[in-house]
Amino acid sequence: MNLAPHLPALQVVVPLIAAPLTVLLRQRSVAFAVALVASWLALAISLLLWWQVANTGIISYAIGSWPAPWGIEYRIDRLNSFILVLVAGIAALVLPFSRASIESEVAAQQHYLFYTMFVLCLAGLLGIAITGDAFNIFVFLEVSSLSAYVLIALGRDRRALFAAYQYLLMGSIGATFLVIGIGLLYLMTGTLNLADMGQRLASVQGTRPVLAALAFITVGVSLKLALFPLHQWLPNAYTFAPSAVSAFLAATATKVAVYVLLRFYFTVFGESAVFARLPMQQMMLLLALAGMFAASTIAIFQTDLKRLFAYSSVAQIGYIILGLSFNSVSGLTASIVHLFNHGVTKGAIFMLLGCVALGVGGTSLTRVQGLGKRMPLASFGMVIGGLSLMGVPGTAGFISKWYLLLAALEQGQWWLVFMIALSSLLAAVYVWRFVEAAYLREPHQNTTNVAPTPWLMSVPTAILVLAIVYFGLDTSFTMGTASEAAAALIGGSR
């Protein structure tokens, strides 16, 4: 049987089938094996889809042989093929990492449930990225969100329950806003297919229901991507979730939400409707700058590294939205490449923090004192991740910020160049807090013993740290795909 034509469906079906299998099998080693195979197959499929799109163009797959726009369509282009590779790649590395990390963070009888929720979350995120149907986006968003709530709540710290509940409340509000916006668009167009919806909206642009839909979708998706000041759920969720969950969500969930915003703005509403007729450019610019500076400043004063880098994520989302606010191919390219590079960087940092938590019993600055001598490789990896957040040459983060600077210069916005550089200095300050504790302070008397890091944790973490350097030196995959995706979005927008 030739499975090649059905790769778009298999991208979601494989992890979706793995979820009930892990529940039925229950035994944690078998559940881990099923989830691991599913994640690796998902990565292989995403790479094949990216390669097909690069060579043959957009892929359209009709679910149940019902042609679009009557049936549900999976539609893969340069943008979402890029997102699929990021999500599946991070999952393929986090799953083996989780095998050892959850031993100390999740009760043994809940391990099979962890793998069930993990592959469900993976299926939901992949589904959001691959579908060409607006209501399907909402459905897959709920699948990924509900499983994420459970994953966060699995943390041993009782505060994980509060974090999950807070995320559930905020996430439910965001999902409600999104589905109201989709409902208004369906009311005005009579279709849920994104491409068809974009064409039909051309005749009713500027009407009140369409403007209301734009407002609802913007607020709903902004809650999901943790755009400042709608980020209140994120710090607790990343801090108290198990390390593997923090790494996976930090690298993927908010990035997929950014993709949804890009898809609605440029494919459905159109560039002119969003930026030319409304003051969205100025609003996005102000919110991006507020997030970059406020979240970075708050991060400086944190005493727990997981919380510190959680606030850093809010700041880095500000950079992504800043590129979007330029409304140019170069700005959009910077946003898309930073979406990928920050996903790799923050995934590596939270996996490293998982290794640190296992080694010294926590991630507070007191616990990591003297870590440079006790865990030299992990400390060095944290430094590389920090340099990427700062945008130092030779790291993936530098590529993102360099193109963001070029986009600002292209529009003659010299003051924004200064603001980007200044916010990077704030990143240097909070990264320095780790460097100072790890390399310039003696270990705390109660944290002199270090537990060895299992190879299932260290190998995937090392691969992701090396990826930070690789994508900072070779930009053919990231910049090549991002620039083509940006040009397609701007060129195909009305």
Side-chain angles (χ1 to χ4, degrees):
M1 180 179 178
N2 184 17
L3 295 177
H6 303 290
L7 287 178
L10 290 172
Q11 180 76 93
V12 179
V13 168
V14 168
L16 206 54
I17 290 177
L21 280 178
T22 56
V23 174
L24 293 172
L25 296 170
R26 295 183 73 90
Q27 211 282 329
R28 58 180 179 171
S29 296
V30 179
F32 166 73
V34 171
L36 184 65
V37 170
S39 67
W40 285 358
L41 284 174
L43 175 58
I45 293 168
S46 68
L47 289 170
L48 287 171
L49 288 173
W50 178 87
W51 182 83
Q52 285 185 19
V53 170
N55 287 276
T56 62
I58 295 173
I59 300 171
S60 176
Y61 183 86
I63 301 294
S65 299
W66 285 83
W70 310 111
I72 294 173
E73 176 192 31
Y74 281 4
R75 190 175 182 86
I76 307 101
D77 57 15
R78 292 299 272 166
L79 176 60
N80 57 356
S81 66
F82 195 46
I83 304 298
L84 292 173
V85 172
L86 172 65
V87 173
I90 294 294
L93 290 173
V94 171
L95 252 174
F97 172 91
S98 70
R99 178 74 169 115
S101 71
I102 64 173
E103 289 292 335
S104 60
E105 296 182 273
V106 178
Q109 66 270 22
Q110 295 177 330
H111 284 191
Y112 78 96
L113 292 175
F114 171 89
Y115 296 121
T116 301
M117 293 299 109
F118 191 97
V119 289
L120 267 181
C121 189
L122 173 61
L125 294 173
L126 293 172
I128 294 169
I130 203 171
T131 187
D133 182 271
F135 191 73
N136 247 31
I137 288 179
F138 167 73
V139 172
F140 281 123
L141 187 68
E142 285 300 278
V143 171
S144 64
S145 296
L146 290 171
S147 50
Y149 305 150
V150 178
L151 286 170
I152 293 167
L154 287 175
R156 283 189 183 274
D157 194 315
R158 291 185 63 183
R159 288 172 292 182
L161 290 173
F162 171 75
Y165 182 66
Q166 186 181 36
Y167 187 12
L168 184 150
L169 289 179
M170 299 288 284
S172 298
I173 294 170
T176 302
F177 273 59
L178 176 63
V179 78
I180 290 173
I182 292 171
L184 288 170
L185 291 177
Y186 180 68
L187 175 72
M188 297 302 294
T189 61
T191 182
L192 289 170
N193 183 275
L194 294 173
D196 190 43
M197 187 182 286
Q199 293 176 0
R200 297 190 186 194
L201 275 180
S203 61
V204 291
Q205 287 290 7
T207 58
R208 288 184 178 181
V210 173
L211 293 177
L214 176 59
F216 274 111
I217 289 172
T218 298
V219 175
V221 178
S222 295
L223 270 164
K224 290 293 187 178
L225 64 87
L227 176 63
F228 185 90
L230 305 175
H231 67 285
Q232 299 301 324
W233 59 268
L234 187 146
N236 285 335
Y238 287 9
T239 303
F240 302 118
S243 300
V245 177
S246 299
F248 182 62
L249 294 181
T252 59
T254 53
K255 313 307 178 292
V256 171
V258 171
Y259 160 79
V260 173
L261 191 67
L262 294 176
R263 184 60 75 196
F264 273 104
Y265 274 12
F266 292 95
T267 301
V268 177
F269 292 103
E271 175 194 5
S272 60
V274 176
F275 295 105
R277 302 175 187 175
L278 297 170
M280 295 295 291
Q281 210 167 343
Q282 296 87 339
M283 185 184 73
M284 287 292 180
L285 176 64
L286 290 174
L287 292 178
L289 290 174
M292 288 160 55
F293 283 93
S296 294
T297 303
I298 295 171
I300 292 170
F301 296 98
Q302 301 306 308
T303 57
D304 184 273
L305 289 175
K306 287 187 74 173
R307 197 171 190 84
L308 184 153
F309 285 109
Y311 277 106
S312 166
S313 289
V314 177
Q316 297 297 319
I317 288 165
Y319 289 107
I320 297 172
I321 299 301
L322 180 63
L324 169 63
S325 72
F326 289 143
N327 187 29
S328 65
V329 172
S330 55
L332 205 53
T333 299
S335 289
I336 295 170
V337 78
H338 193 52
L339 181 153
F340 186 93
N341 288 341
H342 177 250
V344 171
T345 300
K346 200 52 65 76
I349 287 174
F350 276 103
M351 287 170 73
L352 285 162
L353 289 176
C355 297
V356 170
L358 181 66
V360 299
T363 56
S364 66
L365 287 171
T366 302
R367 289 277 180 180
V368 301
Q369 286 181 190
L371 195 71
K373 294 179 181 178
R374 294 181 293 155
M375 298 181 70
L377 293 178
S379 300
F380 183 64
M382 288 291 295
V383 171
I384 292 175
L387 293 176
S388 182
L389 294 177
M390 293 158 54
V392 173
T395 63
F398 168 74
I399 305 301
S400 311
K401 291 192 177 181
W402 175 251
Y403 278 91
L404 202 58
L405 291 171
L406 291 179
L409 290 173
E410 183 183 86
Q411 298 191 350
Q413 303 277 12
W414 284 92
W415 69 279
L416 278 178
V417 174
F418 172 75
M419 298 297 276
I420 294 169
L422 185 60
S423 64
S424 296
L425 290 178
L426 290 177
V429 175
Y430 63 70
V431 170
W432 174 254
R433 295 204 66 198
F434 166 77
V435 174
E436 180 186 20
Y439 290 97
L440 302 181
R441 293 185 181 274
E442 292 300 318
H444 192 273
Q445 59 181 359
N446 295 327
T447 59
T448 52
N449 296 325
V450 176
T453 305
W455 69 271
L456 272 176
M457 293 178 69
S458 57
V459 172
T461 305
I463 292 172
L464 215 49
V465 171
L466 290 174
I468 296 174
V469 179
Y470 175 79
F471 289 122
L473 300 175
D474 185 354
T475 63
S476 56
F477 171 69
T478 53
M479 279 306 304
T481 307
S483 59
E484 291 178 21
L489 284 178
I490 296 286
S493 188
R494 298 179 302 282

